[in-house]
Amino acid sequence: DEIGDAAKKLGDASYDFAKEVDWNNGIFLQAPGKFQPLKALKAIDKMIEMGAAADPKLLKAAAEAHHKAIGSISGPNGVTSRADWDAVNAALGRVVASVPKAKVMDVYNSVKDITDPGVPAYMKSLVNGADAEKAYAGFLAFKDVVEKNQVTAVGAPATVPSGDKIGVAAKALSDASYPFLKEVDWLSDVYLKPLPDTTAPKVVKAIDKMIVMGSQMDGNLLKAAAQAHHKAIGSIDAKGVTSAADYEAVNAAIGRIVASVPKATVMDVYNAMAAVTDGSVPNNMFSKVNPLDAVAAAKGFYTFKDVVESVQ
Ligand code: DGD
Ligand code: CLA
Ligand code: PID
Ligand code: PID
Ligand code: PID
Ligand code: PID
Ligand code: PID
Ligand code: PID
């Protein structure tokens, strides 16, 4: 297709740049400017809306392209192969073309809103500046091809199941865990701190398991989960806590996407994340809330998971 061909030209223009970026640099975990969690949540919300509007088949293909690209990472900077670089760009270009332009610009503008104007120039200073400019020129040509192939209207929303076993179980889980949810500090910057005693290459391997799980999920249910998160963001209070009803809908939606993949795929994520998460991390989280409420929430989860497993 045209986007695939354009991605090859983008690769010619941008792979030198890609090789020069230090993808293992911990700086990419930082906020791109002042830490502003509520504004950042707005930007994430725009990404969720864009994801919910995207063609599920193309999202799945993009996830698969990333999984393949992680498999060809080499060298100290963590760069993927030239062929996989092109395949990722092509897949993302197709995802972008599957949503109306305004949804894409809403993401750009809301991310711009939380990005210090000095950030692009600083990024450029870490690589060969001429290669960055060559890459950007390639991007500008690529985006014209994407725009030419872009839809103008959003497709149908997801169909949301109702009255299913997971929906019923989600009510019990939510009742058991909402007191805990309200005690968590959602506006803390602790979630942007590096995990202790691990490295970027190890974390990428764990994220790869999530990408694989995402690529195997039922596309309609994944879209429904994105919609539920968007709605939940719309009902947060000043401390970032969503309403009890929206929380329940999020739990139900997540339970359904988990049930849509094999158990082993879920356990691969759990085991990979456990391997990069020092025990001090959950203990630190636990220390900040009422322990009885956390234990009640955990009990609720362990009951919920049996229902999920029963329909998996
Ligand atoms: C950039 C963009 C990269 C900056 C990276 C910041 C992104 C951080 C993302 C954090 C999100 C949080 C998610 C994580 C959550 C973690 C949870 C625990 O360098 C601009 C200005 C605005 C930049 C900020 C907006 C970037 C938006 C990018 C994508 C958004 C999605 C990313 C989400 C991440 C998550 C993914 C899953 O646009 O951009 C560089 C540009 O900066 C440079 O400016 C451009 C002007 O916009 C353009 O108008 C023009 O002036 C151009 O061109 C210069 O500069 C000129 C000529 O016009 C050209 O013809 C050509 O000759 C050129 O010069 C050659 O140099
Ligand atoms: Mg990605 C984008 C890393 C998995 C879907 N992703 C980005 C970039 C960053 C990144 C490079 C955001 C920061 C930025 O804009 O820099 N993703 C990244 C990693 C992983 C991952 C490390 C781990 C596996 N992503 C992943 C998965 C999905 C996505 C699984 C779902 C399928 N990701 C996704 C989308 C988008 C990203 C939809 C974006 O739109 C965003 C992005 O790239 O926006 C431009 C700048 C970008 C780059 C350095 C890489 C692109 C290089 C282009 C082609 C040329 C360079 C131009 C110029 C020099 C800089 C960009 C200017 C900008 C205004 C366009
Ligand atoms: C400027 C000035 C003009 C010239 C110009 C110009 C530049 C404009 C630009 C630009 C626009 C632009 C847009 C970009 C958009 C990036 C969008 C990224 C979206 C990320 C998402 C993430 C996610 C997911 C995902 C799916 C999940 C939901 C999420 C489901 C159902 C200024 C050059 C025209 C870069 C959507 C993918 C996993 C949240 O206009 O003179 O330069 O860049 O998890 O959904 O699972
Ligand atoms: C524009 C203007 C509007 C019209 C429009 C428009 C277009 C927007 C577009 C577009 C946005 C867009 C985004 C693209 C992003 C591509 C990002 C590619 C990333 C590739 C990576 C590869 C890799 C790896 C990997 C992980 C490793 C690092 C690597 C570590 C730690 C402008 C059409 C709406 C194409 C990250 C995955 C293995 C490098 O808005 O008018 O057209 O395209 O090895 O990580 O090792
Ligand atoms: C300039 C002027 C214009 C011309 C121009 C220009 C240059 C702009 C540039 C540039 C922008 C730019 C951006 C780059 C962005 C790279 C983003 C990489 C993201 C990598 C990640 C990696 C990671 C992980 C991971 C998970 C870990 C955390 C991490 C935990 C809990 C100035 C040329 C346009 C290079 C996210 C995945 C392992 C961080 O605009 O005229 O030149 O470069 O380890 O999670 O550990
Ligand atoms: C233990 C001991 C026994 C008792 C026991 C026990 C506990 C096991 C546990 C547990 C397992 C477990 C699993 C959990 C799994 C979480 C998985 C999260 C996945 C996240 C994903 C994120 C993503 C996306 C997304 C879609 C995108 C891709 C991504 C596309 C196409 C130890 C109790 C049985 C918690 C997939 C969603 C946006 C990456 O066994 O004695 O306690 O928890 O962006 O894909 O867009
Ligand atoms: C298990 C054992 C195997 C069998 C198995 C199994 C099950 C795994 C499961 C499962 C995993 C799982 C995960 C669930 C996760 C639910 C998460 C809910 C999160 C809700 C949030 C709501 C909110 C917001 C929001 C953003 C705001 C904060 C909030 C800010 C900054 C165990 C079956 C495979 C159910 C986060 C979105 C508005 C709070 O593996 O043998 O069954 O379920 O307001 O952000 O303000
Ligand atoms: C213990 C012992 C057992 C019993 C037990 C137990 C407890 C474990 C616990 C606990 C675990 C736990 C985990 C918690 C996790 C919360 C995660 C929240 C994530 C929030 C994020 C928010 C954000 C943003 C956002 C984007 C911004 C960055 C942020 C940028 C660029 C010990 C009870 C089982 C509470 C990610 C979205 C706005 C950070 O196991 O016997 O009690 O709690 O602002 O992006 O700015």
Side-chain angles (χ1 to χ4, degrees):
D1 62 344
E2 276 195 319
I3 293 178
D5 296 340
K8 291 212 166 57
K9 289 187 190 141
L10 174 57
D12 291 338
S14 64
Y15 193 60
D16 285 332
F17 164 77
K19 283 188 285 191
E20 288 156 13
V21 172
D22 177 8
W23 299 96
N24 292 323
N25 192 333
I27 200 174
F28 301 125
L29 189 60
Q30 305 278 306
K34 208 157 46 91
F35 176 67
Q36 306 169 85
L38 289 170
K39 264 188 163 186
L41 183 63
K42 254 191 205 138
I44 305 269
D45 189 33
K46 293 301 178 191
M47 291 183 217
I48 293 171
E49 283 198 82
M50 177 173 151
D55 180 337
K57 286 193 300 299
L58 295 174
L59 266 186
K60 181 190 178 75
E64 285 166 354
H66 280 83
H67 168 58
K68 183 155 185 292
I70 290 170
S72 71
I73 286 176
S74 71
N77 282 356
V79 75
T80 188
S81 72
R82 167 65 202 269
D84 288 339
W85 174 254
D86 292 6
V88 167
N89 281 317
L92 292 181
R94 291 181 195 113
V95 167
V96 171
S98 79
V99 306
K101 174 173 163 172
K103 292 260 180 246
V104 186
M105 291 308 295
D106 283 353
V107 173
Y108 174 81
N109 288 318
S110 61
V111 174
K112 186 177 171 154
D113 244 29
I114 56 163
T115 304
D116 185 286
V119 167
Y122 178 67
M123 289 300 152
K124 188 182 175 188
S125 77
L126 301 177
V127 297
N128 178 326
D131 288 337
E133 279 172 25
K134 194 172 61 158
Y136 184 66
F139 173 77
L140 290 181
F142 180 73
K143 70 113 172 64
D144 288 337
V145 178
V146 170
E147 188 163 12
K148 195 179 151 221
N149 288 278
Q150 195 160 31
V151 302
T152 52
V154 180
T159 46
V160 182
S162 67
D164 58 333
K165 276 169 85 178
I166 291 179
V168 173
K171 164 117 183 74
L173 167 59
S174 306
D175 290 345
S177 59
Y178 195 60
F180 163 76
L181 194 88
K182 283 192 282 190
E183 288 155 13
V184 172
D185 183 359
W186 297 99
L187 305 183
S188 165
D189 66 357
V190 74
Y191 314 111
L192 287 180
K193 301 291 176 212
L195 289 167
D197 291 325
T198 188
T199 62
K202 285 186 188 160
V203 177
V204 183
K205 285 203 183 83
I207 291 182
D208 186 36
K209 300 296 184 193
M210 293 204 278
I211 294 172
V212 168
M213 181 169 155
S215 72
Q216 291 180 9
M217 284 171 180
D218 178 276
N220 173 61
L221 294 175
L222 182 56
K223 182 185 272 215
Q227 288 171 185
H229 278 81
H230 168 59
K231 180 153 189 292
I233 290 170
S235 73
I236 60 166
D237 64 17
K239 293 163 91 185
V241 179
T242 191
S243 71
D246 287 343
Y247 175 54
E248 183 184 327
V250 168
N251 277 322
I254 293 179
R256 291 180 193 117
I257 55 179
V258 170
S260 78
V261 304
K263 172 174 164 176
T265 307
V266 185
M267 290 309 293
D268 283 352
V269 174
Y270 175 83
N271 290 322
M273 284 298 159
V276 295
T277 307
D278 189 89
S280 62
V281 173
N283 283 331
N284 178 244
M285 293 294 133
F286 189 48
S287 75
K288 294 170 191 239
V289 295
N290 178 326
L292 293 178
D293 291 338
V295 169
K299 271 196 182 154
F301 173 75
Y302 294 126
T303 308
F304 180 73
K305 69 114 171 72
D306 290 335
V307 178
V308 170
E309 189 166 10
S310 76
V311 298
Q312 195 164 27

